[in-house]
Amino acid sequence: MIRRVLLLSTSKVYGSGYLGYCDAEIRAFLEGVRRLLFVPFARPGGMSHDEYTSVARERFAEIDISVMGLHASPDARRAVREAEAIFIGGGNTFVLLRDLHAAGVLEEIRQRVDSGIPYMGASAGSNVAGLSICTTNDMPIVYPPSFDALGLVPFNINPHYIDPEAGSKHMGETRETRINEFHVFNDVPVIGIREGAVLHREGGSLRLAGSSGGILFRPGVEAEELAPGAVLDSLL
Amino acid sequence: MIRRVLLLSTSKVYGSGYLGYCDAEIRAFLEGVRRLLFVPFARPGGMSHDEYTSVARERFAEIDISVMGLHASPDARRAVREAEAIFIGGGNTFVLLRDLHAAGVLEEIRQRVDSGIPYMGASAGSNVAGLSICTTNDMPIVYPPSFDALGLVPFNINPHYIDPEAGSKHMGETRETRINEFHVFNDVPVIGIREGAVLHREGGSLRLAGSSGGILFRPGVEAEELAPGAVLDSLL
C-alpha cells in the first residue's frame, strides 16, 4: 500500500490566486494524471456545487487536467471507484463531512487511496484526511453523524494554523490553547500547518513542503516547531 | 412564564478580573439570590471541575453568594430542581453540551428557568442558552449527541464576536463569513455579542447591556449593528 496524499493548509494565500502558492507541488504530485474527481461538498461561502466545481475546473485546465464534480455523478460510489485522482476542496468541514456520509463514499475514498491513487485536500479537505475533524477551525453549522474522518494520515490536521498574537486584547482562545484543550480529551497528534505550507505523504515518507512551516502538538509534550522541509516519517 | 436570562459574551475582558466588566449587571440580576448552582463542565484550558468551581466560588463570595458545583452533586437532576439560580461557565461548548447530556439535566434546566429562576451563562454558557451550539467559535474536541441546546432565547448566540479585521492577510474565514455560511443552512437569527457586552432577558424584554454592542444576523438581510442599550424585544 502506497498512500499518496497532498494536504494544503489553504486554497489561497494572501495576494495569490486559487491554488497558486502550491503550483509546483501540485504539478509534481499529479504528474501523469489527466482526470480529477473534485468534491465540492464543503461549499465555501455557501456557493453551489456547480460554481465551486467551475473554479476548480478552470484552475486545473491550466495544467491540462479535466475536472468532474462528484455531486454531478449519478452514482457517487462508482465515480470514486473509477477516479484517477481525488481532490476535496476547502470550505466548511462539518458540511463536507456530513455530505461525504450522505453520499456514502468515505470507505470508497479510503480504498481508492489505499490502492495508490493521489488524494489532494485543501483546508477542510485536509481536515477530513486526518483521523477526525476535531481540530477544524470551522463553525459547526450542520451536525454530521460522526466526527471520524478518512484517516489517510495517522494524526489530525489544523489548517490555516496561526501563532498566538503577541499583545492581543481578545479573550477568545488562541489556536494553541484550543489544540491543547483537544489533548485533554484525545491522544492523537495534531499538525498545525500555516498558510503556505503543504503536507506531502508518499507511502512511508512524510514531508512538510511550502514556505511557512508548521507546529507539531502531542499530548504531554512541548509543541514542536516544524521548519519548511521537515521530514516527519516517524509520525507514520 | 418569566424567563430571566443573563448572557455574557466572555468571562473576562482584557485588563479586568473574572466577571469584572459585568459586575453591576450580575449584582442587579442576582439580587436576593444566596445560593448559585455552578456548572463547570466546559472546563476552560482543561482545568478540573473542582478548580473551576473554586474560581467561581471566590468570585461570588464577593457578593455574598455561595456556590455549589453541579459535578459535586450525587444527584445532578435534583441539584438543578432545587437550584435558586444557575450559572454555566465558559470553556469548550462541545465538552459542555456533551456533559450536560451525560448528566441528563438539559430538560431540568429548561424547566427551572421556565419556573422563573435566574440563568446566567458566560461564553460557552451563553452558547448553550441559544437554540443550538451551531454558532460557537470553539473547536469540536468531543462529539456531543446533538447540537441542539437549551433554547432559553429563540435565537443563537455568537460570543466573543469580533469584527472583520481590515487589511488582514489571513485567509481563514472571518466571523461574519462563518455566520453567513450558517445562514445558508439555517434560518435562526444570530446575535454576535462583542467582548464586554451582555444580553439580558426578563420575560418579554430583551436588552443589550454593557459597553461594546453587538451585531444581529438574519438570513437574507443585511447584518444590523446593535448599539449598547439596544432594545430587542421583537426577537422574542
Side-chain angles (χ1 to χ4, degrees):
Chain A
M1 174 187 87
I2 296 290
R3 284 189 185 156
R4 305 194 58 220
V5 180
L6 193 74
L7 305 181
L8 314 174
S9 54
T10 178
S11 300
K12 286 184 189 178
V13 295
Y14 183 77
S16 86
Y18 183 62
L19 305 180
Y21 73 98
C22 47
D23 185 65
E25 279 84 6
I26 292 175
R27 283 175 191 262
F29 184 69
L30 296 181
E31 176 76 44
V33 168
R34 285 294 151 257
R35 291 179 302 113
L36 182 65
L37 182 64
F38 178 65
V39 181
F41 294 166
R43 303 184 59 187
M47 68 165 67
S48 75
H49 293 147
D50 278 343
E51 285 164 355
Y52 196 18
T53 302
S54 295
V55 171
R57 182 170 290 127
E58 203 169 303
R59 175 63 180 88
F60 284 94
E62 293 172 21
I63 54 174
D64 294 323
I65 294 177
S66 71
V67 164
M68 185 183 89
L70 181 57
H71 68 293
S73 169
D75 182 341
R77 284 201 183 91
R78 184 171 165 184
V80 171
R81 279 196 301 271
E82 296 177 349
E84 205 182 311
I86 296 171
F87 173 37
I88 301 191
N92 185 282
T93 308
F94 296 88
V95 175
L96 168 59
L97 187 58
R98 182 194 66 170
D99 289 0
L100 287 170
H101 273 286
V105 293
L106 284 157
E107 191 47 41
E108 251 77 13
I109 294 174
R110 266 186 217 109
Q111 287 176 9
R112 281 306 275 157
V113 177
D114 280 351
S115 80
I117 72 159
Y119 174 95
M120 223 174 87
S123 191
S126 295
N127 266 132
V128 297
L131 290 172
S132 79
I133 65 161
C134 289
T135 51
T136 176
N137 311 307
D138 293 340
M139 200 170 254
I141 59 178
V142 301
Y143 185 69
S146 161
F147 286 166
D148 295 340
L150 290 164
L152 307 181
V153 289
F155 46 81
N156 267 16
I157 299 292
N158 180 254
H160 300 277
Y161 183 79
I162 39 172
D163 298 285
E165 194 187 333
S168 170
K169 295 180 177 174
H170 189 70
M171 302 304 289
E173 296 88 349
T174 63
R175 195 66 62 80
E176 187 181 23
T177 300
R178 293 169 194 273
I179 296 171
N180 287 335
E181 285 185 3
F182 170 76
H183 279 146
V184 174
F185 299 94
N186 302 274
D187 288 333
V188 170
V190 180
I191 300 185
I193 43 180
R194 295 194 185 92
E195 293 186 348
V198 173
L199 209 50
H200 183 186
R201 174 177 193 171
E202 291 283 334
S205 149
L206 181 70
R207 199 173 62 87
L208 188 63
S211 58
S212 50
I215 308 262
L216 171 61
F217 296 90
R218 280 178 293 196
V221 298
E222 197 78 5
E224 189 183 324
E225 172 70 27
L226 304 175
V231 173
L232 301 164
D233 303 1
S234 63
L235 285 175
L236 297 177
Chain B
M1 174 186 85
I2 297 289
R3 284 190 185 155
R4 304 195 59 220
V5 180
L6 193 73
L7 304 181
L8 314 174
S9 54
T10 177
S11 300
K12 287 183 189 180
V13 296
Y14 183 78
S16 84
Y18 183 62
L19 306 179
Y21 72 99
C22 47
D23 185 66
E25 279 84 6
I26 292 175
R27 283 175 191 263
F29 184 69
L30 295 181
E31 178 74 44
V33 168
R34 286 294 153 256
R35 291 178 301 115
L36 182 64
L37 182 63
F38 178 65
V39 182
F41 295 166
R43 302 184 59 186
M47 69 165 66
S48 75
H49 293 147
D50 278 343
E51 285 164 353
Y52 196 19
T53 302
S54 296
V55 171
R57 183 170 290 129
E58 204 169 303
R59 175 64 180 89
F60 284 94
E62 293 172 20
I63 54 173
D64 294 324
I65 294 177
S66 70
V67 164
M68 186 181 88
L70 180 58
H71 68 292
S73 170
D75 183 341
R77 283 200 183 92
R78 185 170 163 185
V80 171
R81 280 196 301 270
E82 296 178 349
E84 207 183 308
I86 296 170
F87 173 36
I88 302 191
N92 184 284
T93 308
F94 296 87
V95 175
L96 168 58
L97 187 58
R98 182 195 66 171
D99 288 1
L100 287 170
H101 274 284
V105 293
L106 285 158
E107 191 46 41
E108 252 76 14
I109 294 174
R110 265 185 219 110
Q111 288 177 7
R112 282 305 275 157
V113 177
D114 280 352
S115 79
I117 72 160
Y119 174 96
M120 224 174 87
S123 189
S126 295
N127 266 131
V128 296
L131 291 172
S132 80
I133 65 162
C134 290
T135 51
T136 177
N137 312 307
D138 293 340
M139 200 170 254
I141 59 179
V142 301
Y143 185 69
S146 161
F147 286 166
D148 294 341
L150 290 163
L152 307 181
V153 289
F155 47 82
N156 267 16
I157 301 292
N158 180 254
H160 300 277
Y161 183 78
I162 39 173
D163 298 286
E165 194 186 335
S168 169
K169 295 180 177 174
H170 188 72
M171 302 305 287
E173 297 88 348
T174 64
R175 194 68 61 80
E176 186 181 23
T177 301
R178 293 169 194 273
I179 296 172
N180 287 335
E181 284 185 4
F182 169 77
H183 279 146
V184 173
F185 299 95
N186 302 273
D187 287 333
V188 170
V190 180
I191 300 186
I193 42 180
R194 296 194 184 91
E195 293 187 348
V198 173
L199 210 49
H200 182 186
R201 174 178 193 172
E202 291 283 335
S205 149
L206 182 69
R207 199 175 63 88
L208 188 63
S211 58
S212 50
I215 308 261
L216 172 61
F217 295 90
R218 279 178 292 196
V221 298
E222 197 78 5
E224 189 183 323
E225 172 69 27
L226 305 175
V231 172
L232 302 165
D233 303 1
S234 63
L235 285 175
L236 296 178

